[in-house]
Amino acid sequence: MVSLYSTGLELGNLLVGSDLLNHSWDAISKLQKDVDQNPSLPFSVKYQVHEYPPAKGSIIAFVCSPNCDVNQLQEEEFRELVSSDAITSFDFLCTKSNSSVSLHKAAFTLFASLENELSLLKQQFTSHQPLIVTGHSVGGSVASLFTLWLLDSLPRYGVQRLLCITFGSPLLGNNGFQKAISERSAWSSCFLHVVSDKDPIPGFLIPESDHNASAATLTTPTCYMPFGIYLFCSESGFSCFEEPQSILELLMIMSSRCAESQNPSNCSQVIDYGHILEHLRSKAICRGIVELPDSIGNPLQAGTYLLLEAAGVGKLQQEDVDMSYLATDIAKRAEVQAKHRQNIFDPSKKLSTLKKSMSYLEWYMKNSLEEAGYYDKYKLRRSRSRDEIESTEQLIKHHRTLKLFWKRMVVEVETMPWKEGRNLRKRWLYAGTNYRRMVEPLDIAEYYCRGKKDYTSHGRSEHYKLLEEWLTDENLHAYQRSQASSLTVDSCFWAYVEEAVISCEVLRDGPSSSQDQESARENLIKFEQYVVDMINNFLVSPEIFLPQSSFMRWWKEYCRVVGDSYTSTLSNFMKDDFRRYA
């Protein structure tokens, strides 16, 4: 638990002690001098590429025109968000479960004004060369957008060579935007936002009415939310925070103090982050010792208290800021965040368990190929010998293990961003298809043993449908076969057999309406054609022709219903050809 919070100070020390921040600010300063020479420039953003020799990489700096901070920040229009419908360049951020992604309109407009140029710039950088993207104020927002653009085009291993560092950047997007980035585990750590406690810009887009609200309540689609890692700087020192609600609360506190200590017109005053970085270096070498209040009761809260003190919040104790309460509150949130990370679904960790369960199902299937087959052996398990009952109990256990895994797997993939979800689907497509074809027949057997009907409409689990969609989307179900499949390709085959059995009962047993009987005849004709198509394309397993299988028992009953004189493609096949198929 202690390490959970010591990392905030350790990471701060690592960042301040490295040259990354200084090189980034130097690149910004050089570009800022060029921009400042023409103060009459319209609302715009400039960028410049610098070589970064120590790492054999590059730095791309973004800076806004001088009047961006002075004039544009005062206008109400500057606070507006633009919805996901209008930001097609970033539609990759939207998912099925998170479609309400909105961006700061001014930042997106600036980015869009350079999109063609930035598209060419993006093509120059590969995943093999380190790249820092940096920017100041709203230029930092544009830098973040460009970084997101790059991240979407990079392979997973390339993400490690990309870092975005902003200085005094305002918030960029809403709660949906923050969620979209946090859902991509490798992306959030690519963003570092340096914020001075004297800089009003980072908290500028938090409405005045929200400054008295709890940060936990600010999660509506219209509210701005932070993302990535924040390095808070003050005369007292520096510390890093990652939990978004805690960052928002600190931004609100600092923004309120800035508003009280200076006039709005002073927003045009550019904070010299170069001077701040030099000051931080000395603080990194010589840190003071903070006396903890008695109300701090555990190491978790103590670590948080030290982070707040280093961020400069301690100076606000006389201004209605209860440091002890704030430390406790933030500690609880970050503890929840840490537990959430521990529970993140990692399919690779379950791989050995899945192999064991699938191997058992394969063993059970091979030992079922006598009279009835895999499906019917499981369906008739209650009438078997003691040894067979024990093996079936093991099968039920492995069945449950596999089903729980794949249900969660499908949910996780479907809620992932499209690109990551598609990649994971491809990696697990074969395993998921094999699972569905082996396990769904067991579900069908249980369903009809309970006397139920119409499995495909009322009993089929959603995760089977989605696994089938994955296969269809990849167009791998359409390839031609030259011999019979060991597993029946359509995992719902036995459900159609059971419905055909029910239709035969309707025609055989009498007291049913003429409408029901006509419907039953139509269903049986459709089923016949379905079976013929499956056989012609070698899509059914030979086990369906075992003497005591449900399919063969249906066929015998169907022959009684239609009479000896009935002929069809299936009836001709079943006279003798089925033996050669089997």
Side-chain angles (χ1 to χ4, degrees):
M1 297 298 281
V2 179
S3 62
L4 178 66
Y5 275 91
S6 63
T7 53
L9 295 172
E10 290 167 2
L11 180 57
N13 269 326
L14 178 64
L15 290 168
V16 171
S18 74
D19 292 326
L20 292 176
L21 301 183
N22 295 84
H23 282 297
S24 299
W25 183 254
D26 287 345
I28 290 171
S29 298
K30 290 175 183 175
L31 180 57
Q32 188 73 60
K33 288 177 183 176
D34 294 339
V35 172
D36 288 345
Q37 290 176 1
N38 192 353
S40 62
L41 281 172
F43 179 54
S44 60
V45 63
K46 300 293 181 183
Y47 71 89
Q48 199 170 67
V49 181
H50 301 266
E51 293 301 314
Y52 184 41
K56 295 182 180 178
S58 301
I59 297 178
I60 304 176
F62 289 86
V63 171
C64 282
S65 55
N67 66 355
C68 179
D69 288 335
V70 181
N71 299 324
Q72 300 294 332
L73 292 181
Q74 308 305 318
E75 298 178 7
E76 188 60 33
E77 184 182 351
F78 184 84
R79 300 178 184 273
E80 289 183 13
L81 283 159
V82 58
S83 68
S84 53
D85 297 335
I87 53 174
T88 53
S89 307
F90 296 92
D91 55 5
F92 59 85
L93 294 172
C94 298
T95 63
K96 289 182 180 179
S97 61
N98 182 28
S99 58
S100 59
V101 175
S102 297
L103 293 174
H104 182 206
K105 183 178 180 180
F108 176 73
T109 302
L110 287 170
F111 174 85
S113 70
L114 289 176
E115 189 165 340
N116 290 335
E117 292 180 47
L118 294 178
S119 181
L120 295 173
L121 185 63
K122 182 171 74 167
Q123 296 171 18
Q124 298 176 23
F125 295 96
T126 69
S127 57
H128 301 291
Q129 56 187 139
L131 176 64
I132 296 174
V133 184
T134 190
H136 175 238
S137 188
V138 184
S141 299
V142 179
S144 294
L145 291 176
F146 181 63
T147 302
L148 284 170
W149 222 32
L150 283 172
L151 286 170
D152 182 57
S153 64
L154 289 175
R156 181 177 290 270
Y157 64 85
V159 172
Q160 300 171 0
R161 293 176 172 269
L162 179 61
L163 178 63
C164 178
I165 301 175
T166 72
F167 296 87
S169 176
L171 297 175
L172 181 55
N174 68 342
N175 188 54
F177 174 72
Q178 183 273 322
K179 182 182 176 185
I181 295 175
S182 64
E183 282 176 345
R184 296 155 168 85
S185 55
W187 284 21
S188 194
S189 58
C190 291
F191 294 90
L192 173 67
H193 307 287
V194 184
V195 172
S196 166
D197 65 336
K198 290 184 172 61
D199 194 342
I201 305 302
F204 191 84
L205 294 174
I206 304 172
E208 288 295 328
S209 58
D210 292 337
H211 281 257
N212 296 322
S214 167
T217 65
L218 302 180
T219 56
T220 67
T222 58
C223 290
Y224 283 91
M225 285 293 291
F227 68 97
I229 300 169
Y230 270 69
L231 176 65
F232 286 98
C233 312
S234 73
E235 291 180 0
S236 304
F238 52 87
S239 56
C240 287
F241 288 82
E242 211 173 340
E243 200 279 315
Q245 296 286 356
S246 305
I247 293 169
L248 186 63
E249 194 159 349
L250 294 177
L251 287 174
M252 287 194 294
I253 292 170
M254 292 179 175
S255 182
S256 296
R257 190 180 70 173
C258 285
E260 292 170 6
S261 63
Q262 57 188 22
N263 296 322
S265 60
N266 287 337
C267 286
S268 60
Q269 181 183 353
V270 177
I271 302 296
D272 184 357
Y273 278 91
H275 176 74
I276 291 172
L277 292 175
E278 288 303 316
H279 176 68
L280 293 185
R281 275 183 178 272
S282 63
K283 282 288 181 182
I285 299 170
C286 306
R287 279 188 180 271
I289 297 174
V290 177
E291 185 178 343
L292 297 174
D294 296 334
S295 56
I296 296 297
N298 60 52
L300 188 62
Q301 295 170 12
T304 311
Y305 191 95
L306 293 173
L307 288 177
L308 294 172
E309 186 72 32
V313 180
K315 294 181 291 185
L316 304 177
Q317 276 189 298
Q318 324 244 308
E319 302 176 26
D320 299 325
V321 175
D322 186 337
M323 278 274 288
S324 299
Y325 174 80
L326 190 58
T328 303
D329 195 37
I330 291 176
K332 287 178 181 177
R333 283 197 216 109
E335 186 177 10
V336 170
Q337 185 186 43
K339 287 180 179 177
H340 171 72
R341 285 176 177 167
Q342 290 174 355
N343 292 328
I344 289 176
F345 183 66
D346 184 356
S348 60
K349 291 181 180 178
K350 292 277 188 178
L351 196 56
S352 59
T353 304
L354 296 178
K355 285 181 178 178
K356 180 180 178 182
S357 294
M358 287 298 288
S359 296
Y360 191 89
L361 262 67
E362 288 169 1
W363 172 85
Y364 187 90
M365 180 179 286
K366 287 177 182 177
N367 283 273
S368 304
L369 301 179
E370 297 171 358
E371 292 294 314
Y374 176 60
Y375 173 78
D376 286 281
K377 181 178 180 179
Y378 183 76
K379 182 181 175 184
L380 302 172
R381 61 191 181 279
R382 293 179 180 82
S383 61
R384 299 286 175 174
S385 67
R386 181 177 180 82
D387 288 344
E388 288 178 328
I389 289 172
E390 287 179 359
S391 67
T392 306
E393 286 175 351
Q394 284 295 312
L395 180 71
I396 292 170
K397 184 186 78 171
H398 290 295
H399 172 204
R400 188 182 300 115
T401 298
L402 289 164
K403 197 169 177 180
L404 287 172
F405 170 85
W406 280 103
K407 274 189 170 183
R408 184 170 181 187
M409 174 73 160
V410 169
V411 168
E412 291 288 335
V413 169
E414 288 298 305
T415 55
M416 278 181 174
W418 184 86
K419 187 176 180 180
E420 287 189 22
R422 180 74 183 272
N423 290 338
L424 196 58
R425 276 166 51 171
K426 283 184 175 180
R427 282 207 305 275
W428 286 79
L429 184 62
Y430 173 79
T433 301
N434 207 34
Y435 153 79
R436 176 172 57 82
R437 291 172 180 169
M438 290 188 73
V439 174
E440 190 167 14
L442 307 182
D443 284 8
I444 293 169
E446 289 183 349
Y447 184 83
Y448 285 96
C449 278
R450 293 195 291 269
K452 296 185 177 183
K453 299 178 181 179
D454 201 1
Y455 168 83
T456 54
S457 298
H458 303 298
R460 196 180 192 202
S461 173
E462 189 66 24
H463 82 290
Y464 289 133
K465 298 176 187 177
L466 290 169
L467 283 169
E468 197 166 37
E469 281 182 22
W470 293 5
L471 190 65
T472 303
D473 290 346
E474 297 301 327
N475 202 30
L476 297 178
H477 64 296
Y479 68 93
Q480 297 294 315
R481 291 178 176 274
S482 58
Q483 60 183 17
S485 171
S486 58
L487 280 172
T488 298
V489 169
D490 186 351
S491 55
C492 287
F493 174 82
W494 292 107
Y496 300 134
V497 172
E498 297 288 356
E499 292 300 319
V501 170
I502 293 170
S503 294
C504 280
E505 291 171 355
V506 170
L507 294 175
R508 183 195 65 197
D509 293 343
S512 54
S513 67
S514 58
Q515 186 177 357
D516 287 344
Q517 291 196 353
E518 183 61 30
S519 176
R521 287 191 189 94
E522 289 178 2
N523 290 339
L524 287 166
I525 292 171
K526 287 179 183 176
F527 180 65
E528 268 199 78
Q529 187 57 52
Y530 164 76
V531 173
V532 169
D533 291 342
M534 294 283 282
I535 290 170
N536 287 342
N537 291 288
F538 300 100
L539 299 178
V540 288
S541 167
E543 72 165 337
I544 75 167
F545 300 114
L546 290 170
Q548 297 303 315
S549 75
S550 290
F551 176 78
M552 292 301 286
R553 284 187 278 118
W554 163 78
W555 176 249
K556 290 174 184 176
E557 184 60 34
Y558 185 55
C559 289
R560 293 192 197 101
V561 170
V562 297
D564 295 337
S565 61
Y566 177 78
T567 60
S568 67
T569 305
L570 183 60
S571 67
N572 292 333
F573 175 84
M574 292 300 292
K575 286 176 182 177
D576 192 54
D577 289 350
F578 81 91
R579 300 180 193 281
R580 288 194 291 274
Y581 184 97

